[in-house]
Amino acid sequence: MGAPIAHDALHARLEAYMSKKGLRSTGQRRTIADAFFGGPRHITIEELLVRARTNDPRIGYATVYRTLKLFTECGLATEHDFGDGPTRYEVAIDGEADHHHDHLICLECRRITEFHDEEIEGLQERLARRLGFEIESHKHEIYGVCEACRKASAQKKR
Amino acid sequence: MGAPIAHDALHARLEAYMSKKGLRSTGQRRTIADAFFGGPRHITIEELLVRARTNDPRIGYATVYRTLKLFTECGLATEHDFGDGPTRYEVAIDGEADHHHDHLICLECRRITEFHDEEIEGLQERLARRLGFEIESHKHEIYGVCEACRKASAQKKR
DNA sequence: GTAATTGCAAATGGTTTGCATGTAA
DNA sequence: TTACATGCAAACCATTTGCAATTAC
């Protein structure tokens, strides 16, 4: 079996953006794109470098940074800083459509859960408008303890 | 006229926390506290250092960092990273009560507007609970362009 | 007197940049 | 052939830390 269909679409989108901007389609960029599209969500530069190097060991740090910045510019990636260590990147597109969502972060196991709530989005939009603001983007992160970790620590206490 | 009443209450709270924890009330800490309580909202370490040094020129960088960490621990300050440059700190207490709120940030003039919406807070709480999460804190930041900046750039375009 | 605190300078960690070399178009 | 891209190392920036000197209690 080949790469999932979605990957082809993502690669195509990247190629289109690069040619439109007069940028070049290089082996490194394709390798990093593969690693990114096929990797876990909320991946760090470091993790991505390791993944990319399994296909091309000579890829450098700076190239991964520059490439992910490129992906972010063209809308394929979004950056998130969850307050510990390095920025994490996720694929911004699911099939054809943008896939906006926010995050819950477990402070114990650091697992990230995605959520989307139209009601909150709507209230936020109205609130901003009322204050004369035109929304460009937003960041809504909820930090807490997930069910599994709460159970585990209840266990430990007895 | 003396310092506003609120400052005394804040200082008292700090003193109480320090003595409870066996920490010492030093000149530097009091000076930095003054600078913080009396300064602008959303202040940076750098700005705070400048303010503090007008009262005591020998205060060092590291001390301001350590002191603001202390204020944060004892609930007098909250930290915010608005995505550009350094962390900003604000006084967390308004009179006697905690004063939770979120922020709108203008991407052009970088002005910060505070907001609080009980409806959003409630939805967020229910959503987290539904996902098995116990909320510890959250961060809700809206980035956009404020009314003044939109008008200014509309002006410029003609 | 003794443990906490300070100031300084050096270390850290994530990210960016300058530059000589390499390569896609 | 000529911009653009890469890899490396050095630079950067905010923040933290080790340590000797100082100070609060």
Side-chain angles (χ1 to χ4, degrees), chain A residues 122-137:
Chain A
L123 285 165
Q124 176 185 248
E125 184 64 46
R126 263 170 277 157
L127 182 151
R129 189 154 300 167
R130 203 183 315 132
L131 293 167
F133 241 76
E134 182 135 314
I135 297 180
E136 168 82 28
S137 69

Side-chain angles (χ1 to χ4, degrees), chain B:
Chain B
M1 48 183 125
I5 291 168
H7 289 204
D8 289 354
L10 295 170
H11 276 289
R13 210 164 147 137
L14 176 58
E15 292 298 327
Y17 179 83
M18 291 193 297
S19 94
K20 187 180 69 186
K21 292 278 184 174
L23 304 175
R24 287 167 188 177
S25 178
T26 67
Q28 288 93 328
R29 283 178 179 165
R30 287 188 296 272
T31 301
I32 295 167
D34 278 339
F36 182 50
F37 299 154
R41 292 187 77 71
H42 315 117
I43 197 169
T44 64
I45 292 289
E46 181 95 36
E47 292 161 352
L48 214 33
L49 179 68
V50 171
R51 274 182 70 83
R53 279 189 173 161
T54 62
N55 283 322
D56 179 355
R58 44 166 82 223
I59 287 181
Y61 248 98
T63 303
V64 182
Y65 272 103
R66 289 189 272 232
T67 303
L68 267 286
K69 214 171 106 187
L70 168 64
F71 293 176
T72 303
E73 272 166 36
C74 79
L76 282 173
T78 50
E79 301 183 292
H80 296 285
D81 176 6
F82 294 124
D84 69 326
T87 299
R88 291 174 177 278
Y89 294 84
E90 63 180 28
V91 179
I93 292 171
D94 190 0
E96 291 299 295
D98 285 18
H99 176 60
H100 169 74
H101 58 259
D102 293 291
H103 301 89
L104 276 122
I105 301 101
C106 176
L107 293 167
E108 274 170 35
C109 66
R110 284 281 153 192
R111 212 176 41 177
I112 295 159
T113 307
E114 302 178 354
F115 73 87
H116 180 79
D117 187 314
E118 272 305 336
E119 215 174 335
I120 293 176
E121 301 278 323
L123 285 166
Q124 175 185 248
E125 183 64 46
R126 263 170 277 157
L127 183 152
R129 188 154 300 166
R130 205 183 312 132
L131 292 167
F133 242 76
E134 182 135 313
I135 298 180
E136 168 82 28
S137 69
H138 74 267
K139 174 185 289 193
H140 192 173
E141 289 154 16
I142 303 177
Y143 296 86
V145 184
C146 72
E147 195 151 29
C149 286
R150 283 215 314 291
K151 279 179 182 161
S153 72
Q155 236 2 270
K156 218 183 283 176
K157 267 185 192 143
R158 65 185 53 181

